[in-house]
């Protein structure tokens, strides 16, 4: 592991890629046949489950609808309304843009509420003991006004507020979908180690930052459930992530276990969770919204982005149909039982291989280059186009002309390998081939505006 910097190993939600610098990506899944889960394979499984959470949970799919579809839609409407004068979005105060600017801001607020609180991570790292204790947990409601079709709809969203001791400047924070996502992957690490199915170095597990990697245990302790097995943490984390409000569901489960239901849960975890806590999510509404947006892009001639949307819509749709037949399909490998370790590995690998065969990550980033896993389809190109679109959406928050930020330029190259893909002065008229960033600009409706701006600039200079 000396050549692997774990701080650079990460899955990027909605960008749909895993960064695996230092990994032997040609042999990531050989454990499915040779039954040897090495350190690299174990870390890959951890990140792979972040990908599954992204495409198979209601919160993950809703996140994509907000983060990509809503922001893409707002940007195209703003571009039509005011051209380049609509940007940067953060300083847009045009009256006829107010609704879309609010629409954009509402989406970002909801996304921020779902993300890990990185202030807690940083503050914990600065604390003397590198950890903190829980003093209380309560449900709070945050009033929210959402703009829908020109109408303001007032309501509220429930959160779990965790009051803590041991941090100098943070007295409480909200439990989030992003944190629970990390709880699940961390519990999977523990499971592989517990079952002797991985040769991962135990120091990797014990030396991880307290929050969020070790905080799941603290929640169980707070409710008097300790020690909880890795399997119990996996199934509770997974079930919570798939609920309409993961933090609320998680705490409600732990409260019920605290109040005498732990033995009932242990006898049949699936039945216990489905009987007591299952709620219908609005999967169909969100899926229909993404499909409708893809259809709209297709009808408008935004063929490339429509193709990318259709690909991920199909993944979202398939995951929900699988869960309708078996709600715990995506964690079914962790249910396998066998007396012998070898037999256990065989059954686990077979079950996990079914999932990986259906939901292979489309791209992996390694040493600043993207590698397509499935070379016989265009799914890799679709994913990179989505990635380029995200860069543009982030840039026009603060810039008039979209530009790749220096930190991302240092991090990776697009497959077309064009270092000047965002150099405004070098833009040329369509057709646009092989340049993901410029192709994404064209799909959003900005490329033509930039060419006009470039022409005006040239005329002014002359």
């Amino acid at each position: 592991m000396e050549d692997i910097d774990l701080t650079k190993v990460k899955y990027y939600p909605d960008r749909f890629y895993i960064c695996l610098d230092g990994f032997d990506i040609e042999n990531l899944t050989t454990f499915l046949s040779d039954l040897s889960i090495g350190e690299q394979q174990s870390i890959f499984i951890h990140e792979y489950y972040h990908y599954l959470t992204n495409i198979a949970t209601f919160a993950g799919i809703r996140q994509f609808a907000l983060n990509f579809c809503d922001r893409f839609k707002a940007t195209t409407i703003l571009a039509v309304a005011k051209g380049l004068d609509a940007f940067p979005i953060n300083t847009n105060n045009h009256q006829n843009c107010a609704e879309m600017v609010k629409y954009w801001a509402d989406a970002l607020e909801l996304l921020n509420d779902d993300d890990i609180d990185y202030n807690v991570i940083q503050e914990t790292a600065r604390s003397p003991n590198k950890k903190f204790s829980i003093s209380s947990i309560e449900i709070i409601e945050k009033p929210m006004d959402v703009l829908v079709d020109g109408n303001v709809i007032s309501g509220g969203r429930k959160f779990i507020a965790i009051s803590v001791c041991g941090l100098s400047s943070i007295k409480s924070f909200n439990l989030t979908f992003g944190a629970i996502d990390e709880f699940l992957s961390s519990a999977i690490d523990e499971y592989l180690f517990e079952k002797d199915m991985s040769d991962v170095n135990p120091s990797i597990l014990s030396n991880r930052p307290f929050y969020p990697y070790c905080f799941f245990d603290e929640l169980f302790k707070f409710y008097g459930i300790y020690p909880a097995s890795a399997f119990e943490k996996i199934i509770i984390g997974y079930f919570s992530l798939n609920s309409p409000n993961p933090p609320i569901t998680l705490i409600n489960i732990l409260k019920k276990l605290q109040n005498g239901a732990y033995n009932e849960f242990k006898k049949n975890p699936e039945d216990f969770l489905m009987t007591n806590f299952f709620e219908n999510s609005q999967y169909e509404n969100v899926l229909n919204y993404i499909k409708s947006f893809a259809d709209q892009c297709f009808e408008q001639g935004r063929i490339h982005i429509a193709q990318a949307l259709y690909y991920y819509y199909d993944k979202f749709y398939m995951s929900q149909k699988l869960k309708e037949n078996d709600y715990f399909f995506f964690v079914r490998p962790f249910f396998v039982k066998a007396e012998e370790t070898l037999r256990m590995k065989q059954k686990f690998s077979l079950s996990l291989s079914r999932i990986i065969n259906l939901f292979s990550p489309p791209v992996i980033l390694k040493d600043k280059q993207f590698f397509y896993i499935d070379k016989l389809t265009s799914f890799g190109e679709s994913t990179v186009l989505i990635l380029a679109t995200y860069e543009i959406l982030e840039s026009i928050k603060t810039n008039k002309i979209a530009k790749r930020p220096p930190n991302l330029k240092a991090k990776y190259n697009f497959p077309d390998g064009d270092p000047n893909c965002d150099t405004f002065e070098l833009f040329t008229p369509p057709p646009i081939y092989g340049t993901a960033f410029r192709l994404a600009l064209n799909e959003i409706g900005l490329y033509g505006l930039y060419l006009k701006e470039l022409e005006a600039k040239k005329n002014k200079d002359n």
Side-chain angles (χ1 to χ4, degrees):
M1 290 293 291
E2 292 181 355
D3 59 338
I4 294 179
D5 182 354
L6 291 178
T7 63
K8 296 181 179 180
V9 177
K10 184 179 179 181
Y11 171 71
Y12 289 82
D14 292 356
R15 277 70 169 171
F16 303 113
Y17 76 89
I18 303 173
C19 180
L20 295 176
D21 282 354
F23 279 61
D24 177 8
I25 61 175
E26 295 295 328
N27 295 299
L28 275 179
T29 58
T30 54
F31 67 89
L32 296 174
S33 56
D34 64 24
L35 308 181
S36 177
I37 302 177
E39 287 182 331
Q40 291 192 7
Q41 286 85 2
S42 179
I43 294 168
F44 165 72
I45 292 172
H46 174 111
E47 301 302 334
Y48 176 68
Y49 264 86
H50 287 314
Y51 171 64
L52 293 182
T53 295
N54 196 172
I55 65 173
T57 66
F58 170 70
I61 297 171
R62 183 179 68 93
Q63 176 177 282
F64 178 75
L66 288 166
N67 204 6
F68 188 83
C69 300
D70 282 358
R71 293 206 296 159
F72 189 106
K73 180 185 296 185
T75 302
T76 58
I77 293 174
L78 288 170
V80 170
K82 295 298 291 184
L84 286 188
D85 290 338
F87 310 104
I89 293 178
N90 283 0
T91 58
N92 185 322
N93 56 10
H94 300 291
Q95 187 173 356
N96 65 334
C97 295
E99 181 174 331
M100 279 300 105
V101 172
K102 176 71 163 58
Y103 184 64
W104 171 289
D106 286 343
L108 290 182
E109 182 179 0
L110 289 168
L111 288 166
N112 186 61
D113 288 341
D114 277 348
D115 202 359
I116 294 175
D117 191 332
Y118 289 95
N119 290 327
V120 177
I121 297 176
Q122 294 167 2
E123 184 67 19
T124 305
R126 289 193 291 263
S127 66
N129 296 324
K130 309 300 182 187
K131 62 184 302 184
F132 54 85
S133 60
I134 302 171
S135 57
S136 66
I137 296 176
E138 62 178 333
I139 297 175
I140 60 173
E141 187 165 347
K142 174 183 176 182
M144 297 190 72
D145 292 333
V146 180
L147 192 63
V148 179
D149 296 330
N151 300 313
V152 176
I153 300 176
S154 298
R157 191 179 183 193
K158 291 184 177 180
F159 294 87
I160 294 294
I162 300 178
S163 297
V164 300
C165 300
L167 300 179
S168 61
S169 63
I170 295 177
K171 303 305 178 185
S172 70
F173 62 91
N174 291 340
L175 183 62
T176 64
F177 164 69
I180 300 172
D181 180 22
E182 201 61 69
F183 295 169
L184 173 62
S185 285
S186 298
I188 288 171
D189 296 338
E190 296 173 28
Y191 177 92
L192 295 176
F193 181 69
E194 276 185 13
K195 299 298 182 182
D196 195 27
M197 289 199 294
S198 168
D199 63 2
V200 65
N201 189 331
S203 65
I204 293 178
L205 303 182
S206 60
N207 291 331
R208 291 178 303 189
F210 174 74
Y211 186 81
Y213 298 101
C214 307
F215 189 65
F216 206 8
D217 279 334
E218 296 301 307
L219 288 174
F220 277 88
K221 288 179 185 178
F222 184 80
Y223 288 102
I225 309 160
Y226 193 81
S229 71
F231 170 75
E232 291 169 347
K233 288 186 280 187
I234 287 171
I235 192 171
I236 290 173
Y238 171 83
F239 186 88
S240 300
L241 287 170
N242 281 276
S243 70
N245 191 325
I248 297 291
T249 300
L250 173 58
I251 297 306
N252 284 340
I253 292 172
L254 295 180
K255 283 182 178 179
K256 192 170 183 67
L257 296 183
Q258 181 190 40
N259 294 327
Y262 191 33
N263 288 334
E264 180 186 350
F265 165 75
K266 294 183 77 169
K267 288 178 183 176
N268 194 324
E270 291 179 75
D271 285 351
F272 176 83
L273 294 173
M274 294 296 287
T275 301
N276 292 284
F277 298 102
F278 178 76
E279 298 178 66
N280 285 315
S281 296
Q282 297 178 337
Y283 281 114
E284 187 173 350
N285 292 342
V286 178
L287 287 171
N288 287 342
Y289 175 71
I290 295 172
K291 174 65 162 54
S292 175
F293 181 60
D295 291 341
Q296 186 178 18
C297 288
F298 181 80
E299 291 166 3
Q300 293 173 346
R302 307 176 201 271
I303 303 301
H304 300 282
I305 208 66
Q307 179 187 40
L309 287 165
Y310 285 136
Y311 168 61
Y312 281 103
Y313 167 80
D314 289 343
K315 292 297 183 185
F316 300 150
Y317 181 84
M318 186 194 311
S319 71
Q320 299 319 307
K321 289 303 176 183
L322 287 166
K323 287 198 301 182
E324 287 177 11
N325 183 58
D326 176 7
Y327 195 77
F328 295 91
F329 173 82
F330 290 97
V331 286
R332 193 56 66 188
F334 305 99
F335 282 82
V336 299
K337 295 180 181 179
E339 294 293 331
E340 298 179 356
T341 301
L342 178 60
R343 184 60 176 158
M344 179 82 172
K345 288 183 177 181
Q346 289 174 330
K347 295 172 73 173
F348 175 85
S349 297
L350 175 61
S351 185
L352 184 58
S353 68
R354 291 185 63 205
I355 300 171
I356 293 177
N357 288 337
L358 290 171
F359 299 94
S360 298
V363 295
I364 285 176
L365 176 64
K366 179 178 183 287
D367 302 329
K368 298 180 65 174
Q369 300 294 328
F370 286 108
F371 294 85
Y372 298 161
I373 303 303
D374 185 349
K375 298 181 178 64
L376 298 179
T377 72
S378 62
F379 300 153
E381 289 92 333
S382 293
T383 302
V384 171
L385 182 63
I386 283 180
L387 176 63
T389 304
Y390 271 117
E391 289 200 10
I392 294 164
L393 295 179
E394 287 298 307
S395 178
I396 57 177
K397 283 195 301 186
T398 53
N399 298 316
K400 181 178 180 179
I401 304 292
K403 199 168 188 67
R404 295 194 66 208
N407 65 310
L408 293 184
K409 282 189 174 183
K411 185 174 184 178
Y412 53 72
N413 302 311
F414 281 117
D416 47 73
D418 181 3
N420 297 313
C421 65
D422 62 344
T423 302
F424 172 56
E425 289 75 14
L426 298 179
F427 284 6
T428 56
I432 304 164
Y433 297 114
T435 307
F437 192 87
R438 295 182 191 176
L439 185 59
L441 283 172
N442 196 52
E443 296 286 277
I444 294 172
L446 295 178
Y447 196 79
L449 293 177
Y450 290 173
L451 289 178
K452 290 180 181 178
E453 182 76 2
L454 180 60
E455 185 64 27
K457 184 176 182 296
K458 289 178 179 177
N459 291 336
K460 182 179 180 180
D461 293 341
N462 291 332

